[in-house]
């Protein structure tokens, strides 16, 4: 048996849970990330199924549509090494907002 207060709290919680969220980057893409120089760079993440997302970095803008699995992926064209190591914003935007990663640079990526 729900009291009126409990039912109201339950309905508010349900409303919060149904709110859409902006597209997200996968874990490798964080603030101060390094993207590989002189190679096409794959960027990926998640969003609502069927949502069009747009990734922007420096002078590039690439779009994709998420699949049924809620995943999206784009490729940025090769970029030259950043001599001054000046970071730029990497953003992904969709119908419900955008997510930004700050201070992203172009350089050499080594996996150990």
């Amino acid at each position: 048996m729900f009291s009126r207060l409990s039912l109201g709290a339950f309905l508010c919680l349900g409303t919060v849970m149904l709110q859409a969220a902006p597209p997200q980057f996968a874990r490798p893409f964080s603030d101060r990330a390094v993207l590989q120089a002189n190679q096409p760079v794959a960027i990926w993440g998640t969003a609502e199924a069927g949502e069009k997302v747009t990734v922007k970095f420096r002078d590039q803008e690439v779009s994709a549509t998420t699949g049924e699995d809620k995943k999206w992926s784009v490729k940025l064209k090769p970029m030259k090494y950043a001599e001054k190591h000046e970071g730029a914003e990497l953003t992904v935007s969709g119908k419900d907002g955008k997510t930004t990663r700050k201070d992203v640079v172009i350089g050499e990526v080594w996996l150990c």
Side-chain angles (χ1 to χ4, degrees), residues 23-25 29 35 41-45 52-64 72-76 79 89-94 98-99:
Q24 297 297 314
F25 288 106
F29 306 103
L35 303 180
V41 178
I43 308 287
W44 66 93
K52 179 183 176 185
V53 298
T54 301
V55 174
K56 293 180 184 178
F57 184 70
R58 296 198 175 189
D59 61 346
Q60 295 190 50
E61 183 174 318
V62 186
S63 296
W72 58 265
S73 176
V74 299
K75 277 202 177 182
L76 298 176
M79 296 167 275
E89 287 189 347
L90 173 67
T91 63
V92 60
S93 57
K98 74 177 183 177
T99 301

Side-chain angles (χ1 to χ4, degrees), residues 2-30:
F2 285 112
S3 70
R4 286 184 185 178
L5 181 58
S6 297
L7 182 58
F10 177 75
L11 291 174
C12 287
L13 179 60
T15 301
V16 169
M17 292 174 66
L18 293 177
Q19 289 180 351
Q24 297 297 314
F25 288 106
R27 286 186 178 226
F29 306 103
S30 63

